[in-house]
């Protein structure tokens, strides 16, 4: 359990595979759960977008995830990155509160509000509704961040790895099973 770079190097040394959700999976989720349009495109396709807009790298930390006011700002930020590199694009949505949940085998291990002030029971209900009937290619353990605003109510912001996401007020005793499941998967030769 730790930050991305440290954990990935340690996993390589220890000859294990870390389980993580595919970053671009967010682009396959229905609008009902996201409350915004999310697409996965390449850097060369960004010129066709209307600005301001939110853009995030698929490859973590390759550039700053942000609301870009114009195309020139984005190109300046991504200078030197291949034009075929994938990015996640989203229209801008207000976020008044945020919650984090650790999930294992489609069950919530723990959920907590970590920014703002919103109804945690409604956040849990929203996530349970998403987990029960909805099937997408998510690993057996992951973290999901939820956002809330008065207009859209609860929505999915993003998915993260259990081994690399901060606790953000979640109870470590409740989420440790998810972290362990994400970090003990032996590499297959």
């Amino acid at each position: 359990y730790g930050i991305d770079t440290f954990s990935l190097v340690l996993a390589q040394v220890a000859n294990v595979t870390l389980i993580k959700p595919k970053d671009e999976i967010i682009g396959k989720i229905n609008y009902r759960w996201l409350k915004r349009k999310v697409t996965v495109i390449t850097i060369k396709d960004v010129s066709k977008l209307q600005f301001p807009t939110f853009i995030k790298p698929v490859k973590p930390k390759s550039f700053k995830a942000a609301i870009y006011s114009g195309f020139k700002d984005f190109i300046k930020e991504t200078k030197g990155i291949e034009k075929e590199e994938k990015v996640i694009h989203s229209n801008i949505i207000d976020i008044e509160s945020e919650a984090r949940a650790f999930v294992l085998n489609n069950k919530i291990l723990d959920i907590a509000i970590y920014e703002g002030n919103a109804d945690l029971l409604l956040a849990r209900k929203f996530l349970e509704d998403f987990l029960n009937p909805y099937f997408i290619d998510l690993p057996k353990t992951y973290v999901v961040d939820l956002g809330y605003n008065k207009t859209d109510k609860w929505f999915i912001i993003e998915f993260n790895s259990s081994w690399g996401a901060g606790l953000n007020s979640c109870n470590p005793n409740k989420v440790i099973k998810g972290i362990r499941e994400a970090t003990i998967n032996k590499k297959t030769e």
Side-chain angles (χ1 to χ4, degrees):
Y1 180 72
I3 60 172
D4 286 2
T5 307
F6 171 78
S7 296
L8 292 169
V9 170
L10 183 60
Q12 196 172 29
V13 169
N15 196 31
V16 297
T17 301
L18 298 177
I19 297 170
K20 65 179 238 135
K22 295 174 188 164
D23 291 307
E24 59 271 18
I25 199 77
I26 193 90
K28 297 181 189 250
I29 296 176
N30 188 291
Y31 182 90
R32 170 185 177 199
W33 304 108
L34 301 177
K35 308 294 176 33
R36 65 200 185 283
K37 184 178 178 187
V38 177
T39 55
V40 178
I41 60 175
T42 63
I43 286 178
K44 71 178 181 183
D45 294 325
V46 170
S47 64
K48 300 170 188 160
L49 300 176
Q50 289 188 331
F51 288 85
T53 195
F54 177 82
I55 305 173
K56 172 183 175 175
V58 168
K59 188 186 295 179
K61 315 270 190 260
S62 57
F63 65 88
K64 187 171 95 182
I67 295 172
Y68 289 91
S69 58
F71 180 65
K72 286 182 182 178
D73 295 330
F74 175 75
I75 290 303
K76 184 178 176 183
E77 179 68 27
T78 58
K79 185 177 179 183
I81 299 174
E82 294 290 325
K83 300 301 179 207
E84 295 301 318
E85 195 72 36
K86 290 183 179 178
V87 299
I88 299 167
H89 162 258
S90 166
N91 54 310
I92 300 165
I93 190 168
D94 289 329
I95 302 174
E96 297 168 15
S97 296
E98 294 182 51
R100 171 157 290 175
F102 281 75
V103 176
L104 175 62
N105 296 322
N106 275 349
K107 303 286 182 227
I108 300 168
L109 296 175
D110 198 20
I111 184 169
I113 303 284
Y114 66 91
E115 192 169 306
N117 190 7
D119 188 330
L120 187 59
L121 292 176
L122 291 178
R124 178 179 288 278
K125 173 74 171 109
F126 171 83
L127 185 53
E128 286 171 347
D129 288 348
F130 170 76
L131 294 173
N132 288 328
Y134 206 74
F135 176 77
I136 57 171
D137 187 21
L138 285 165
K140 67 179 173 179
T141 181
Y142 58 91
V143 168
V144 60
D145 288 337
L146 304 176
Y148 175 85
N149 69 44
K150 288 181 184 84
T151 303
D152 300 305
K153 308 302 179 213
W154 286 103
F155 51 91
I156 294 171
I157 297 174
E158 66 180 349
F159 299 97
N160 297 293
S161 60
S162 297
W163 53 264
L167 294 174
N168 290 24
S169 300
C170 287
N171 182 328
N173 294 321
K174 291 182 179 180
V175 303
I176 192 67
K177 280 173 52 178
I179 294 169
R180 282 188 184 131
E181 286 293 320
T183 57
I184 61 173
N185 181 28
K186 297 278 186 203
K187 275 188 180 178
T188 54
E189 299 292 323

